Amino acid sequence: MTNNKQLKVLFVTPELVPFVKVGGVADVSSALPKMLAELGCEVRVVVPKYGAVDNRKFKIHDVVRLKDIPITIGDKDYTFSLKSSFLPSPKVRVQIYFLDNELYFGSRKSIYGDALSGEDYPDNDMRFAFFSHAIFELIEKLGWQPDIIHCNDWQTGLVPAYFKALKKRNPASETIKILYTIHNFSNQGIFGKGTLKGLGLPDSMINENGILHGNKVNYMKAGIQFADFVNTVSPGYAKEVMANKVISSGLDELLKKKKKKFAGLINGIDESDWNPKTDKFIPKRYVLKSIDEKLENKKALIERFDLEGDLNEPVIGIISRLTEEKGIDLFVDSFDKLAKMKVKFVVLGAGQKIYHTKLEKLHKQYPHKLGLLLGFDNELAHLIEAGADMLLMPSKYEPCGLNQMYSLVYGTIPIVRKTGGLADTVSQFDSAKGTGNGFVFEKYTAGDMIKSITSAMKIFEDKGTWNKIIANGMQSDFSWKSSARGYVELYQNILNQ
Ligand code: ADP
């Protein structure tokens, strides 16, 4: 690595742990900048100041000189202010800027939509166009210019377009390179053409080689078109989205065209949060040598959900957004069969109403077989990772997936479908060779999933072999260090382009 010290990165994200989280992008946005800072980069992070972010709890202060900054988008005038804080870390200081606008962020209790109805806010198009545009003004005013702007997901997809469109206003900005990371192709920021009039983009960008895709406005497509480089979060998923219209939600052809400027880079996990040796949320901490103590956590989990059966029966956990892509259909549709097996389940999840309803019904029917918490509960997620014997991820698609990596370091054996990042991180256990760290099924069918669960349950009975699988997982390195090194290399390659 050369010249890390000088590498300045502005990390632009819609979500950030511990302040605001809906999905995995929030974890990445905290862990990666911290690791980049450890590797010697100067990193600052920008995130919207949603109403749900607690100023007092997180010691968030106004940046007095950056108050009420005017911004014109199209023919409308707005202002934004900056607030600031630091990422919690004993090792490094990573500055965070909260971009504050009362109308678009401060007044909203939720992040993307009404929590009760599950409907997206109707002005999400302008909310995140505003956020993206304001990054340009921010750089003008900050007195600190990054070498790289690292954007994440559809909410920041317009940043590269605005930098191209506005560059004459700040010629110094022309040296900045933009990396656009896509954490999931299933949310692209697609809006009707009515959105265009509010965006203030030049006509030259408003076509199928620019921001339009299939005659609709598509923020992710704009990101892919105008960024200097694009990546997604695992090599497996990168291949799948170039090859498959469904997985890429229609962007496969474009990605194939851009393949010289498109790569897959696997996420890591934040070991300061997810480590059974230091985890402050679990009743009993453990390491590989003391793996038997994991059982204390299993007891706590079983008690919490009042699950039946003896302690020798395996407990399988699911921690997931409850959406179609996560394969929840396979699980709920086959639960009557699963309930006949000598196994118990704990599901923690939130998402589509249809799955809430189905899971509640199953829980009523099998209250001691299926533990259920519908909602978001980080502490419980830790207890499940530590207390379950296996973790099920039957995803239809999985860009990277974090839970399977958490479960590997917690000695909780993943049972996953072979897709995207799951295929990159979990390998089928081979009892003859003693290799592999989990159970992998290929076809997206309940039959294949049940077969995989059954074979895991069989091996579970042989403690010696089971402990071998546990060791294979717990000894592997899923830390952010190697992934962050990959990003530093990528930044340097982009700067040398
Ligand atoms: P995705 O980003 O697609 O939701 P990932 O596996 O990459 O999936 O990341 C999900 C993250 O969110 C993990 O950190 C997981 O533990 C967490 N998570 C998901 N659902 C819940 C929930 N209901 N309660 C607590 N944590 C959750």
Side-chain angles (χ1 to χ4, degrees):
M1 240 176 300
T2 53
N3 289 339
N4 266 356
K5 285 240 152 37
Q6 289 80 39
L7 203 53
K8 291 190 201 148
V9 182
L10 184 70
F11 197 91
V12 184
T13 180
E15 300 175 26
L16 182 63
V17 158
F19 308 96
V20 56
K21 165 164 165 171
V22 177
V25 64
D27 299 82
V28 174
S29 301
S30 165
L32 176 55
K34 279 192 280 186
M35 194 48 81
L36 290 169
E38 275 189 45
L39 292 176
C41 300
E42 191 184 336
V43 198
R44 303 185 188 184
V45 182
V46 197
V47 62
K49 172 68 183 68
Y50 305 100
V53 177
D54 187 332
N55 282 345
R56 244 194 254 155
K57 179 172 164 198
F58 292 115
K59 299 199 175 74
I60 298 171
H61 302 290
D62 291 337
V63 180
V64 179
R65 71 184 179 87
L66 297 173
K67 214 170 170 347
D68 299 326
I69 298 170
I71 158 171
T72 304
I73 308 179
D75 54 10
K76 281 209 168 141
D77 296 328
Y78 308 82
T79 62
F80 70 88
S81 300
L82 272 206
K83 294 186 187 301
S84 143
S85 184
F86 290 91
L87 278 179
S89 162
K91 287 191 190 156
V92 286
R93 264 168 91 77
V94 176
Q95 174 139 40
I96 308 161
Y97 295 121
F98 291 95
L99 203 130
D100 193 13
N101 172 280
E102 188 56 20
L103 170 68
Y104 284 147
F105 302 118
S107 60
R108 314 294 168 100
K109 285 282 166 255
S110 286
I111 313 307
Y112 302 126
D114 186 81
L116 279 182
S117 67
E119 297 281 311
D120 281 351
Y121 291 129
D123 57 354
N124 275 352
D125 53 351
M126 274 319 294
R127 293 175 76 216
F128 291 101
F130 173 84
F131 179 55
S132 299
H133 200 298
I135 302 300
F136 186 83
E137 276 78 9
L138 178 66
I139 301 283
E140 271 187 313
K141 299 281 185 282
L142 210 50
W144 178 85
Q145 176 157 318
D147 304 305
I148 293 277
I149 298 181
H150 186 161
C151 298
N152 292 275
D153 271 350
W154 73 264
Q155 300 88 335
T156 65
L158 294 189
V159 174
Y162 281 129
F163 269 75
K164 282 222 155 48
L166 302 169
K167 64 185 178 193
K168 286 211 178 86
R169 252 178 49 192
N170 179 11
S173 72
E174 283 196 62
T175 60
I176 300 174
K177 299 283 184 182
I178 302 187
L179 172 64
Y180 181 45
T181 299
I182 296 169
H183 298 259
N184 198 326
F185 278 83
S186 61
N187 294 319
Q188 300 186 353
I190 297 172
F191 306 100
K193 283 171 94 176
T195 291
L196 288 169
K197 63 179 182 304
L199 299 183
L201 284 169
D203 289 346
S204 61
M205 289 183 172
I206 300 174
N207 52 55
E208 293 284 329
N209 290 320
I211 189 177
L212 294 184
H213 190 66
N215 216 25
K216 291 225 156 107
V217 174
N218 186 318
Y219 285 16
M220 185 172 282
K221 179 171 184 184
I224 296 170
Q225 292 286 32
F226 299 116
D228 295 291
F229 201 92
V230 181
N231 81 300
T232 189
V233 288
S234 70
Y237 188 59
K239 269 194 212 140
E240 286 176 0
V241 289
M242 281 193 282
N244 190 311
K245 203 170 251 358
V246 178
I247 302 182
S248 68
S249 303
L251 293 179
D252 51 325
E253 292 300 328
L254 174 66
L255 292 167
K256 254 184 270 174
K257 261 193 241 156
K258 297 264 176 189
K259 75 172 180 217
K260 287 204 177 115
K261 293 193 168 190
F262 178 56
L265 216 60
I266 197 93
N267 289 331
I269 63 174
D270 188 343
E271 289 172 320
S272 61
D273 272 344
W274 294 94
N275 182 349
K277 188 178 171 186
T278 52
D279 193 322
K280 53 183 186 295
F281 297 123
I282 60 177
K284 187 76 193 172
R285 295 175 192 157
Y286 57 96
V287 291
L288 179 57
K289 266 195 179 155
S290 58
I291 191 70
D292 289 346
E293 295 179 355
K294 186 175 182 335
L295 200 63
E296 292 301 313
N297 300 307
K298 180 172 178 178
K299 277 186 198 153
L301 186 64
I302 286 178
E303 255 170 46
R304 167 142 181 193
F305 286 97
D306 194 16
L307 297 174
E308 67 185 16
D310 71 74
L311 211 54
N312 293 322
E313 261 181 38
V315 171
I316 301 184
I318 291 183
I319 305 164
S320 182
R321 285 185 294 116
L322 300 176
T323 61
E324 195 196 333
E325 66 178 283
K326 295 290 182 184
I328 303 302
D329 284 308
L330 286 194
F331 179 72
V332 291
D333 293 346
S334 57
F335 198 80
D336 288 328
K337 279 194 188 137
L338 295 172
K340 293 198 178 83
M341 295 160 57
K342 281 187 174 300
V343 61
K344 304 177 260 278
F345 292 90
V346 173
V347 175
L348 166 63
Q352 283 170 274
K353 214 172 164 187
I354 174 167
Y355 298 119
H356 284 225
T357 310
K358 285 187 180 184
L359 283 164
E360 263 168 349
K361 196 170 158 223
L362 288 171
H363 175 58
K364 268 198 193 126
Q365 206 175 338
Y366 304 103
H368 304 294
K369 196 87 183 166
L370 173 63
L372 179 66
L373 194 135
L374 294 171
F376 199 91
D377 186 334
N378 183 46
E379 259 185 75
L380 179 58
H382 283 254
L383 178 63
I384 295 173
E385 289 291 4
D389 297 294
M390 305 164 197
L391 186 101
L392 179 62
M393 291 179 78
S395 306
K396 214 172 202 176
Y397 328 116
E398 192 64 70
C400 175
L402 293 171
N403 281 310
Q404 84 282 8
M405 291 195 268
Y406 299 154
S407 73
L408 285 165
V409 302
Y410 277 72
T412 302
I413 304 306
I415 303 172
V416 306
R417 196 175 91 75
K418 192 172 182 176
T419 180
L422 295 177
D424 288 335
T425 50
V426 182
S427 50
Q428 173 64 39
F429 179 66
D430 179 328
S431 49
K433 294 189 192 134
T435 54
N437 55 15
F439 294 83
V440 181
F441 61 99
E442 288 203 17
K443 282 197 217 114
Y444 186 74
T445 61
D448 269 30
M449 181 188 75
I450 292 175
K451 241 190 244 165
S452 207
I453 294 175
T454 310
S455 77
M457 284 171 62
K458 212 175 246 164
I459 296 181
F460 180 74
E461 285 170 17
D462 172 0
K463 283 291 163 255
T465 309
W466 194 254
N467 282 340
K468 172 71 188 142
I469 312 177
I470 288 179
N472 288 351
M474 288 181 87
Q475 282 164 344
S476 33
D477 179 12
F478 292 105
S479 72
W480 259 107
K481 196 163 249 162
S482 63
S483 308
R485 284 202 177 110
Y487 274 102
V488 172
E489 218 170 277
L490 188 52
Y491 296 153
Q492 280 167 342
N493 289 343
I494 299 168
L495 288 169
N496 292 333
Q497 262 176 24

